[in-house]
Amino acid sequence: MNSFDAKAADWDKEARRVALAKAVASAIRRDIPLSKNFRACEYGCGTGLLSFCLKDDIGEILLADNSSGMLDVLNQKIKDHAVDNMKTLMLDLSTHEGPEAAFDLIYLQMALHHIPDTGDVLLKFRRMLKPGGFLAIADLDSEDGSFHHGDFNGHNGFDREALSNLLKESGYADVKIEELCPFTKLNAHDVEQTYSIFFSSARAV
């Protein structure tokens, strides 16, 4: 069972997650020329909070995740809201390839730090993007390891310069990384702590 499956039912109830999705959506609209002609993919979509903010700006959205619980909640939301430009897909890019040259935009929110091999997934995103397509990432700046509770085998955030260099090495241009917003939650010691979230945009070349 995916660790996120059990969290799915209550995922949207936390106001901080909703606020973050709205902030990321605003940054995407600001930095990327969204179009109804776009075919987009949200990877690590969870319950689709971010994509629901963007659904009226984009023609077609594929929402991919490796948590069946999250996708069950998302599929019900799509049905309840009669959304006709969203489809879901169970996908884990650590073990599978995505469709080649299929998207004008790939975006992800607080998902990259869960993926152990950052370089590998950035290359897979590059292959999934059409030439000139856009990649948008919102995630944790480097943190002290207290963000996650329990066992965690991902990254304790990212150094912006190192991530920028990795993006360029992986076939992206026009790389931009800047501070997005603070994010406050209970840390691994059950003490409220504020973390920094960055927003990055880049273009596949």
Side-chain angles (χ1 to χ4, degrees):
M1 182 178 180
N2 186 302
S3 63
F4 283 97
D5 292 345
K7 304 174 185 178
D10 295 324
W11 191 259
D12 291 4
K13 294 179 181 179
E14 291 203 26
R16 62 188 173 89
R17 293 192 179 118
V18 177
L20 178 59
K22 291 179 179 178
V24 177
S26 294
I28 290 174
R29 291 192 193 99
R30 181 195 66 212
D31 287 1
I32 295 170
L34 300 181
S35 166
K36 287 286 191 178
N37 295 321
F38 269 21
R39 184 170 188 242
C41 174
E42 181 182 3
Y43 184 69
C45 63
T47 61
L49 282 172
L50 176 54
S51 285
F52 265 80
C53 293
L54 294 171
K55 64 182 175 61
D56 296 328
D57 301 285
I58 297 170
E60 180 183 343
I61 305 174
L62 178 68
L63 297 104
D65 204 288
N66 65 354
S67 165
S68 60
M70 289 287 185
L71 292 179
D72 286 344
V73 171
L74 173 55
N75 281 319
Q76 188 61 51
K77 286 170 62 176
I78 291 171
K79 180 180 178 181
D80 291 344
H81 291 84
V83 178
D84 61 4
N85 67 334
M86 288 182 175
K87 295 181 180 179
T88 63
L89 176 68
M90 178 74 98
L91 177 64
D92 185 348
L93 287 178
S94 66
T95 55
H96 293 83
E97 302 287 334
E100 187 171 346
F103 301 104
D104 302 284
L105 168 65
I106 294 173
Y107 54 91
L108 54 164
Q109 169 183 287
M110 301 297 281
L112 190 64
H113 70 268
H114 286 277
I115 302 169
D117 194 337
T118 308
D120 177 67
V121 79
L122 290 179
L123 287 172
K124 288 179 177 178
F125 289 151
R126 171 63 191 84
R127 290 193 292 270
M128 290 167 65
L129 285 166
K130 299 174 184 177
F134 296 93
L135 175 66
I137 300 167
D139 216 304
L140 282 166
D141 279 307
S142 296
E143 50 97 6
D144 60 6
S146 65
F147 188 85
H148 291 92
H149 293 247
D151 293 333
F152 176 69
N153 64 349
H155 303 274
N156 296 327
F158 296 95
D159 175 83
R160 295 186 195 181
E161 183 176 0
L163 180 59
S164 177
N165 290 335
L166 185 56
L167 282 162
K168 293 170 185 175
E169 292 167 5
S170 302
Y172 298 89
D174 303 330
V175 176
K176 176 182 177 182
I177 303 180
E178 61 185 9
E179 185 171 354
L180 178 65
C181 64
F183 188 80
T184 302
K185 67 183 288 289
L186 292 179
N187 65 17
H189 312 292
D190 290 323
V191 176
E192 194 170 85
Q193 183 169 337
T194 299
Y195 301 87
S196 174
I197 307 297
F198 69 83
F199 178 76
S200 174
S201 61
R203 186 173 53 84
V205 295

